[in-house]
Amino acid sequence: IHVVGPNAGESAERGVAGPGRLAEVAEVRAAIEALLARDAGQRERKPLTGRRVVVTSGPTHEPIDPVRYIANRSSGKQGHAIAAALARLGAQVTLVPGPVVLADPPGVSTVHVETAQEMLDACLAALPADIAVCAAAVADWRVAQAAGQKLKKDGGGPPTLAMAENPDILRTLSQRQGDRPALVVGFAAETQNVVDYARAKLVKKGCDWILANDVSGGGVFGRDDNQVILVDATGAERWTVLDKQAVAERMAGRIAGHVSEGA
Ligand code: CTP
């Protein structure tokens, strides 16, 4: 007997939250596939067997004081699905998610973090790696000095929060000397000039591929379907609208193809 979930989150009863949600169908499917593949995998060599991968996923939480934080609406669905898809192809995957309600994908080593700095530290601890996929929506800024105690209303008006810049994990991994992963993949969400902006980001950060989300038609966070364009230094390939699971499968396939070309 193998157990999938339960996941944490809001329950059907309004205002009630905690563990008890049915795992997402995609997670149940991934767990079944991982179990079925496990035995088969021992017989057949998979395309990413022996490859080490680090994947970031979800948002980061940057504390203001012990009870408040700055965050964003990233669900982690895409990053988690990519981590699971790479593991199904035989990779040894370290997934570094910020706070998410998703269950840890099966067959993946998951290191939970809260802040951008912790995410960077966990990624660096996972090196050396052959491949890095930075799917997390990392907060660009943190509060420079998080308060040790809860901030109180003192009648003096709203507090002023001095901010400090967070480390850029994608750029740091892309520009490592000596232990740079051979393939570094970043993400971008754009509403216009998608390919140009994605390529500029690729150059600025020094990564090899950018999976650009065209979000001109509405938000992408938390949704299941995605219009993506895979951009590298020389070309751009627009994929049909796919759900995040299918984007993950195709991405993992592309990575496996690239790795085998270079082998
Ligand atoms: N990223 C990161 N660490 C950060 C910020 C971003 O690793 N501190 C990674 C994300 O995981 C993603 C890519 O960088 O792969 C996104 O780049 P970013 O410059 O954050 O994109 P946008 O937020 O879309 O930037 P902009 O507002 O400039 O378009």
Side-chain angles (χ1 to χ4, degrees):
I1 295 170
H2 297 274
V3 179
V4 184
N7 290 353
E10 266 184 40
S11 80
E13 288 163 66
R14 246 178 106 76
V16 180
R21 285 170 68 115
L22 179 67
E24 299 287 338
V25 172
E27 289 167 33
V28 177
R29 185 180 119 169
I32 293 169
E33 285 175 353
L35 285 167
L36 292 176
R38 195 178 56 187
D39 294 341
Q42 283 159 3
R43 289 193 297 273
E44 85 184 79
R45 197 177 150 79
K46 297 180 175 186
L48 290 174
T49 299
R51 305 291 181 171
R52 289 167 58 94
V53 188
V54 54
V55 181
T56 68
S57 183
T60 62
H61 284 187
E62 308 297 334
I64 297 170
D65 68 15
V67 297
R68 304 181 179 95
Y69 56 82
I70 296 170
N72 61 66
R73 294 184 193 280
S74 169
S75 67
K77 282 182 182 174
Q78 188 65 82
H80 276 57
I82 289 174
L86 290 165
R88 283 196 294 277
L89 294 184
Q92 191 184 327
V93 181
T94 301
L95 173 64
V96 186
V100 291
V101 295
L102 302 174
D104 295 351
V108 166
S109 160
T110 304
V111 181
H112 293 274
V113 298
E114 294 223 342
T115 66
Q117 186 60 53
E118 289 167 6
M119 191 174 272
L120 175 63
D121 293 344
C123 288
L124 294 179
L127 296 181
D130 303 286
I131 300 145
V133 180
C134 292
V138 183
D140 293 318
W141 310 99
R142 66 176 181 278
V143 177
Q145 288 290 331
Q149 305 295 330
K150 185 181 168 193
L151 295 176
K152 303 295 286 177
K153 292 182 287 297
D154 60 5
T160 302
L161 298 176
M163 308 296 281
E165 193 167 355
N166 267 333
D168 189 316
I169 298 161
L170 176 61
R171 191 167 54 207
T172 305
L173 293 175
S174 297
Q175 297 181 358
R176 292 284 294 183
Q177 303 290 326
D179 58 1
R180 182 196 191 275
L183 179 66
V184 182
V185 184
F187 279 67
E190 309 288 355
T191 57
Q192 55 175 342
N193 303 334
V194 179
V195 173
D196 289 348
Y197 283 163
R199 187 155 302 121
K201 197 164 287 180
L202 180 140
V203 171
K204 191 173 83 184
K205 306 227 180 188
C207 62
D208 304 295
W209 295 353
I210 291 263
L211 199 63
N213 264 307
D214 184 347
V215 293
S216 50
V220 68
F221 290 138
R223 281 180 33 177
D224 278 328
D225 55 337
N226 248 356
Q227 169 68 72
V228 303
I229 305 174
L230 181 59
V231 178
D232 68 10
T234 55
E237 185 185 289
R238 180 177 281 265
W239 295 357
T240 52
V241 174
L242 297 168
D243 68 19
K244 289 184 177 175
Q245 191 68 32
V247 167
E249 303 284 352
R250 192 181 282 207
M251 190 68 203
R254 279 305 154 87
I255 289 172
H258 179 82
V259 163
S260 69
E261 272 170 27

